[in-house]
């Protein structure tokens, strides 16, 4: 059993590789240097934008592929998203088709491949419901690329937004953390989104456990959610943490006012003229996903729970609280 | 503030009118001129080298005097953001009297307002004029013999300063009005203020960032003080700021944006604490007002301070 992991140098790729430490694993990394991994795991340099990235790899060795490589910025431009996340996935698929002993081809996707659809989101293939950013679109297109034409033993794991390690420390900053920082610093006092919109937040541990548990499950589509929290509750929880901080209290910053989508859009477009200061780039980082906060979704997890006996929900409010406490304690300084 | 009126509105702007591109060329701006233009700014007014903030204040008050509306003033409340027009001494200051400036006293003497006492207000930045209205109302409430309080605001940026604050194009200017017991165009119903000294050192971006939540709260609370909701206000007269700001706030407060009034934005920019009076004067002159309508004047300023006055049209 040999597992190839793409994006193995990334945040989740590294953790999945560590979870499979006693297995035969090949780590595909962009710009990899074999000296980087002195351990047992083999490292190969792979750039998915190259014509034939797996030319050096013998497909007969590979029994499992975990495709984690992607550009994950919500503000990624369409062409980059297409080149890396869609065409790159197509190259992984081409390679997978040559792996005659292949037992599983796992694509790490996102819950937001659902795009603009609202309401119940089931663990099925999605049609194109429109997308709020090119990242979402490209992850949906990557799903389509591995699922169609059928024939490969494909597992699509739609992941939640990972906001921390299991101990509440933050290993990777993303839109969640950037937004929380804007509120803490007083740069944003409007709340884009409907406070009732559920958010699916999770720890890296939960996410990696889900992926590794599903390696042995039936192929198919799974949504890895550990229990939603509403946007309003998440923000209130963040402020209850901020309000324990003397620096924050000295600045007496207000809780944000929920605003409609047109108003948030107006603010972001007006902020384009506020060049030079921190507000414009900060808002630009929030804007590409803000529209999702108006699109309430409830992710179904029946297939996940049936396939993963160890599935457990976590208290999402406690998770937000511990992450915010960590962020405040570190004054939002970079990830570990 | 029962039985109090506000009227005799007047203003004066710096003598030199400049286009934003011209000022950008002269190095007076931080933002690119096209960014300020996209916010709605075009022109602003700067004092000449010999023109002072006091000159602007005097010009505004002179207009009231010329209309014959400066009689029987019991107090002068003088609001300014930059309280002292310090002489540019070359050495250390030996006599601190050189640091003192008494523009309200000078107005009193110059206009022969001999019975008036003087009060200065300089902790409210761009909201100072509304603070002056509030203080005038409070003084008239505690001094039953008094009839009229002159409120004045004036600011002029020193030579070499950027004419831009928190992404707003600035004009030098002054405004004045009288709060009193005699019937005037507007009844003064209330003035509401929020201060957050924790943000006294806020930078431009924090000032912009906190603007929305605080202004939203300010207008709701000010409306509640007169027993109404923001959506029931007939007019909202604002300071001159990014034109999108009130498109956003109007939606959040459920106020029809057509009733948000700041017509001097392209012509005057932000005149520290005077632009709300410039805009109110335009509304009074527009013929759009009807008796009984409620007009909110809304301002935000460094400090950070937010103030709103609610007026009722008495004689349009
Ligand atoms: N983290 C989350 O919260 C989350 C949520 C939902 C879904 N996901 C999905 O989970 C997967 C892993 O995410 P992550 O958080 O681990 O992201 P990450 O830390 O950014 O890792 C992605 C990896 O992909 C690599 N990569 C990018 N472009 C490449 C290319 N052209 N060729 C080869 N490798 C390339 C990156 O290499 P460089 O470092 O050289 O750029 C990086 O190591 C992604 O597919 C993502 O869409 C993650």
């Amino acid at each position: 059993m040999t597992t190839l992991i793409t994006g193995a140098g990334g945040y989740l790729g590294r953790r999945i590789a560590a979870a499979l430490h006693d297995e035969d694993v090949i780590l595909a990394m962009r710009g990899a240097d074999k000296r980087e991994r002195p351990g047992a795991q083999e490292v190969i340099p792979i750039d998915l934008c190259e014509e034939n990235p797996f030319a050096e790899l013998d497909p007969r060795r590979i029994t499992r592929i975990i495709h984690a490589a992607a550009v994950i910025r919500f503000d990624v431009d369409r062409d980059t998203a297409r080149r890396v996340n869609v065409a790159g996935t197509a190259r992984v698929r081409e390679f997978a088709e040559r792996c005659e002993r292949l037992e599983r081809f796992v694509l790490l996707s996102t819950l937001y491949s659902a795009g603009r659809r609202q309401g119940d989101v089931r663990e099925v293939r999605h049609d194109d419901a429109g997308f709020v950013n090119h990242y979402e679109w490209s992850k949906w297109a990557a799903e389509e690329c591995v699922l169609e034409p059928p024939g490969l033993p494909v597992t699509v794991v739609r992941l939640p937004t990972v906001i921390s390690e299991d101990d509440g420390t933050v290993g990777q900053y993303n839109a969640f953390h950037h937004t929380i920082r804007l509120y803490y610093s007083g740069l944003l006092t409007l709340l884009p989104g409907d406070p009732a919109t559920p958010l699916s937040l999770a720890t890296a541990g939960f996410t990696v456990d889900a992926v590794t548990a599903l390696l042995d499950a039936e192929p198919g589509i799974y949504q890895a959610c550990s229990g939603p929290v509403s946007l309003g509750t998440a923000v209130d929880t963040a402020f209850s943490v901020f309000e324990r901080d003397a620096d924050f209290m000295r600045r007496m910053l207000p809780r944000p006012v929920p605003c409609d989508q047109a108003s948030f859009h107006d603010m972001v477009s007006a902020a384009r003229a506020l060049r030079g200061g921190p507000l414009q780039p900060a808002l630009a980082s929030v804007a590409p996903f803000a529209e999702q906060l108006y699109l309430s979704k409830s992710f179904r997890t029946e297939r996940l729970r049936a396939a993963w006996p160890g599935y457990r929900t976590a208290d999402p409010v406690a998770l937000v609280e511990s992450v915010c406490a960590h962020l405040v304690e570190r004054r939002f300084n970079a990830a570990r | 503030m029962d039985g109090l009126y506000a009227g005799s509105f007047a203003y004066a702007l710096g003598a030199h009118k400049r286009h934003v591109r011209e000022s950008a060329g002269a190095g007076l701006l931080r933002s690119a001129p096209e960014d300020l233009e996209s916010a709605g700014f075009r022109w602003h007014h700067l004092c000449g080298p010999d023109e002072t903030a006091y000159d602007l204040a005097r010009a505004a008050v002179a207009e009231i005097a010329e209309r014959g509306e400066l009689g029987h003033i019991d107090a002068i409340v003088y609001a300014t953001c930059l309280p002292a027009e310090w002489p540019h001494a070359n050495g250390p200051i030996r006599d601190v009297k050189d640091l003192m400036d008494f523009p309200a006293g000078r107005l009193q003497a110059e206009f022969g307002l001999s019975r008036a006492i003087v009060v200065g207000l300089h902790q409210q930045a761009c909201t100072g004029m509304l603070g002056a209205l509030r203080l005038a109302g409070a003084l008239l409430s505690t001094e039953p013999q008094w009839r009229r309080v002159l409120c004045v605001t004036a600011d002029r940026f020193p030579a070499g300063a950027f004419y831009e604050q928190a992404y707003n194009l600035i004009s030098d200017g002054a405004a004045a009005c009288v709060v009193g017991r005699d019937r005037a165009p507007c009844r003064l119903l209330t003035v509401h203020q929020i201060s957050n000294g924790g943000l006294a050192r806020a930078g431009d971006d924090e000032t912009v960032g906190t603007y929305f939540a605080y202004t939203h709260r300010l207008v709701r609370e000010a409306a509640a003080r007169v027993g109404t909701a923001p959506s029931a206000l007939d007019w909202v007269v604002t300071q001159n700021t990014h034109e999108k700001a009130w498109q956003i706030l109007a939606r959040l407060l459920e106020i029809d944006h057509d009733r948000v009034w700041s017509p001097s934005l392209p012509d005057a920019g932000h005149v520290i604490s005077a632009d709300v009076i410039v805009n109110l004067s335009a509304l009074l002159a527009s013929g759009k007002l009807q008796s009984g309508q409620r007009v909110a004047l809304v301002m935000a300023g460094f400090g950070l301070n937010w103030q709103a006055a609610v007026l009722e049209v008495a004689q349009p």
Side-chain angles (χ1 to χ4, degrees):
Chain A
M1 172 82 63
T2 300
T3 305
L4 169 70
I5 305 177
T6 70
Y11 179 68
L12 291 176
R14 263 183 289 135
R15 284 160 177 76
I16 292 167
L20 303 179
H21 60 90
D22 49 7
E23 297 188 19
D24 184 22
V25 173
I26 301 173
L27 308 175
M29 299 186 198
R30 194 154 59 154
D33 178 337
K34 294 197 182 215
R35 282 166 304 182
E36 282 175 10
R37 288 275 173 147
Q41 293 175 331
E42 188 181 333
V43 178
I44 59 164
I46 294 286
D47 186 335
L48 292 175
C49 292
E50 283 173 4
E51 201 48 53
N52 192 0
F54 299 100
E56 306 292 312
L57 190 58
D58 179 359
R60 286 169 304 184
R61 285 178 62 194
I62 307 300
T63 53
R64 272 195 315 220
I65 298 173
I66 301 173
H67 177 35
V71 176
I72 66 162
R73 296 188 325 270
F74 289 155
D75 62 349
V76 64
D77 62 89
R78 176 107 179 170
D79 187 52
T80 306
R82 187 193 54 72
R83 279 188 301 110
V84 181
N85 296 359
V86 188
T89 299
R91 291 193 172 106
V92 182
R93 179 186 169 119
E94 278 159 29
F95 177 71
E97 282 167 348
R98 291 192 281 122
C99 299
E100 34 194 65
R101 294 171 54 224
L102 190 71
E103 290 173 14
R104 200 65 82 246
F105 177 14
V106 178
L107 170 72
L108 302 196
S109 188
T110 165
L111 292 171
Y112 291 106
S113 65
R116 288 204 161 95
R117 63 173 41 71
Q118 299 190 60
D120 261 4
V121 179
R122 293 187 301 126
E123 293 164 294
V124 296
R125 206 170 140 186
H126 294 318
D127 49 12
D128 177 349
F131 301 93
V132 315
N133 57 49
H134 302 310
Y135 170 73
E136 281 180 7
W137 160 76
S138 68
K139 296 300 287 186
W140 168 79
E143 287 187 9
E144 288 297 293
C145 172
V146 296
L147 293 166
E148 186 66 39
L152 289 172
V154 170
T155 289
V156 171
V157 193
R158 295 183 180 142
L159 301 180
T161 306
V162 178
I163 61 170
S164 78
E165 309 300 313
D166 285 346
D167 61 3
T169 58
V170 176
Q172 182 192 49
Y173 271 44
N174 59 33
F176 174 85
H177 310 95
H178 293 312
T179 309
I180 294 292
R181 183 174 62 83
L182 290 182
Y183 288 129
Y184 180 84
S185 61
L187 289 174
L188 184 62
T189 57
L190 293 182
L191 176 63
D194 177 346
T197 300
L199 305 179
S200 285
L201 309 172
T203 62
F206 170 87
T207 309
V208 170
D209 287 352
V211 172
T212 52
L214 292 170
L215 290 176
D216 298 324
E218 280 294 299
I221 297 170
Y222 298 91
Q223 297 187 148
C225 296
S226 72
V229 57
S230 74
L231 172 64
T233 303
V235 170
D236 280 344
T237 305
F239 272 81
S240 66
V241 173
F242 296 169
E243 286 159 7
R244 299 200 295 258
D245 177 64
D247 277 358
F248 182 84
M249 286 311 285
R250 220 189 76 75
R251 291 180 299 134
M252 298 183 274
L253 287 167
R255 291 190 179 208
V257 179
C259 77
D260 60 284
Q261 210 171 321
S263 296
F264 190 71
H265 181 266
D266 273 350
M267 190 168 76
V268 171
S269 76
R272 288 198 193 106
L274 313 185
R275 284 186 264 186
L279 184 57
Q280 191 273 329
L283 273 179
S285 75
V286 176
F289 79 93
E291 192 186 333
Q292 273 299 354
L293 303 175
Y294 296 94
L295 304 174
S296 185
K297 294 177 182 48
S298 173
F299 295 103
R300 304 287 291 267
T301 54
E302 286 88 345
R303 296 199 74 244
L304 174 84
R305 284 182 280 129
W308 180 15
Y311 172 81
R312 72 231 179 266
T313 54
D315 176 356
V317 175
L319 173 62
V320 171
E321 187 172 356
S322 68
V323 171
C324 291
H326 172 81
L327 292 171
V328 169
E329 189 190 320
R330 293 284 185 97
R331 291 290 179 266
F332 295 83
N333 278 328
R336 294 191 304 198
Chain B
M1 289 189 175
D2 266 1
L4 294 183
Y5 292 84
S8 302
F9 299 101
Y11 62 87
L13 299 172
H16 300 281
K17 185 173 177 179
R18 274 215 190 144
H19 194 267
V20 61
R21 287 175 187 268
E22 213 183 321
S23 291
L28 294 179
L29 305 177
R30 287 192 156 108
S31 292
E34 56 273 20
D35 288 341
L36 290 167
E37 285 180 284
S38 75
F41 298 106
R42 295 288 182 283
W43 300 90
H44 65 149
H45 298 253
L46 296 81
C47 283
D50 299 325
E51 205 178 1
T52 64
Y54 177 75
D55 295 331
L56 295 168
R58 185 181 51 201
V61 175
E63 197 182 314
I64 300 175
E66 279 157 26
R67 293 187 215 139
E69 295 171 1
L70 200 62
H72 201 109
I73 297 293
D74 297 293
I76 303 168
V77 180
Y78 190 97
T80 182
C81 192
L82 306 169
E85 296 190 86
W86 293 344
H88 295 284
N90 288 329
I93 300 285
R94 300 285 290 167
D95 185 343
V96 295
K97 278 201 290 301
D98 290 345
L99 298 177
M100 298 179 194
D101 188 21
F102 300 98
R106 288 158 71 191
L107 287 174
Q108 184 219 21
E110 189 149 354
F111 289 93
L113 308 174
S114 52
R115 59 186 300 147
I117 62 132
V118 295
V119 180
L121 206 57
H122 71 267
Q123 290 288 299
Q124 302 183 346
C126 300
T127 72
M129 187 56 168
L130 299 186
L133 298 185
R134 183 178 198 161
L135 202 54
L139 289 170
L140 288 164
S141 304
T142 55
E143 302 290 341
Q145 308 305 320
W146 288 10
R147 295 209 64 76
R148 288 156 56 79
V149 176
L150 174 66
C151 300
V152 185
T153 183
D155 279 291
R156 177 230 202 276
F157 275 19
F162 287 117
Y163 271 74
E164 183 184 334
Q165 285 294 328
Y167 304 101
N168 293 307
L169 179 69
I170 303 291
S171 277
D172 297 322
C177 70
V178 175
V179 174
R181 302 187 199 282
D182 306 331
R183 204 166 160 80
C186 304
R187 268 167 39 115
L188 178 58
L189 301 183
T190 193
V191 183
H192 181 52
Q193 178 176 1
I194 302 170
S195 295
N196 181 348
L199 294 173
R201 308 298 305 173
D204 286 349
D205 286 52
E206 280 169 298
T207 304
V208 174
T210 50
Y211 175 77
F212 293 97
Y214 273 111
T215 307
H216 185 260
R217 183 181 137 198
L218 174 80
V219 176
R220 276 187 300 118
E221 290 177 354
R225 281 169 79 122
V226 297
T228 191
S231 56
L233 294 166
D234 296 289
W235 295 94
V236 178
V237 177
T238 71
Q239 64 201 145
N240 293 330
T241 188
H242 199 300
E243 59 193 8
K244 281 257 189 297
W246 269 95
Q247 286 172 19
I248 295 169
L249 280 164
R251 268 193 227 107
L252 298 183
L253 291 162
E254 296 175 359
I255 294 170
D256 179 357
H257 188 253
D258 291 344
R259 291 184 286 124
V260 177
W261 186 261
S262 59
S264 70
L265 168 63
D267 203 54
H270 178 41
V271 199
I272 306 301
S273 148
D275 36 338
V276 81
I277 300 300
V278 177
N279 287 332
L280 177 63
S281 303
L283 183 57
L284 286 165
S286 71
K288 291 176 186 282
L289 290 177
Q290 289 167 19
S291 243
Q293 286 191 328
R294 291 189 168 185
V295 182
L297 315 182
V298 184
M299 309 186 82
F302 286 131
L304 292 178
N305 290 285
W306 298 265
Q307 295 204 60
V310 184
L311 312 177
E312 186 180 279
V313 180
Q315 45 188 52

